[in-house]
Amino acid sequence: DNNHYNPNQESTSIDENASERPPKYRDIIMPKDWFLSRRGEIKKKHRKSHGVISFVELSKTISYNWKNEADDETKAYCKKIADEQMARYH
């Protein structure tokens, strides 16, 4: 099921603030720190590209969808998290 986090991840604490997320994302179970950088973790072994989509195309698709299809409530939630993290690290 794609709505669950990977139980093999090091971080096993579940996001207890699901009620703060936009309604359509509240039922998704995610690690508590899903938005943090994974710096310092063991890197995965490089694998040959699957050839379905390049990183550049993937990036363009995500950017397009964020700009044109993400709703205002989702954008506001993500901005709130980004602002909190910015204040924490600066």
Side-chain angles (χ1 to χ4, degrees):
D1 188 350
N2 290 337
N3 291 344
H4 292 83
Y5 73 101
N6 180 348
N8 296 322
Q9 292 175 334
E10 286 185 29
S11 174
T12 57
S13 61
I14 301 300
D15 185 357
E16 297 162 355
N17 300 317
S19 62
E20 295 178 14
R21 291 197 298 258
K24 68 181 183 179
Y25 299 111
R26 288 187 185 147
D27 293 333
I28 298 173
I29 299 171
M30 301 186 308
K32 186 175 184 177
D33 59 352
W34 65 268
F35 51 83
L36 296 177
S37 169
R38 301 292 183 221
R39 289 186 205 155
E41 287 188 5
I42 298 172
K43 293 185 177 185
K44 293 180 180 179
K45 182 179 177 182
H46 179 71
R47 295 184 187 172
K48 187 175 178 180
S49 173
H50 52 66
V52 175
I53 186 170
S54 70
F55 179 77
V56 172
E57 288 301 314
L58 177 63
S59 178
K60 287 179 182 180
T61 300
I62 292 170
S63 297
Y64 176 85
N65 288 341
W66 179 254
K67 181 178 179 183
N68 298 299
E69 297 183 21
D71 60 84
D72 291 338
E73 187 177 23
T74 300
K75 287 181 180 180
Y77 175 72
C78 291
K79 180 167 181 5
K80 175 184 168 266
I81 291 173
D83 290 345
E84 289 171 357
Q85 292 302 306
M86 186 67 78
R88 183 177 173 194
Y89 291 105
H90 286 93

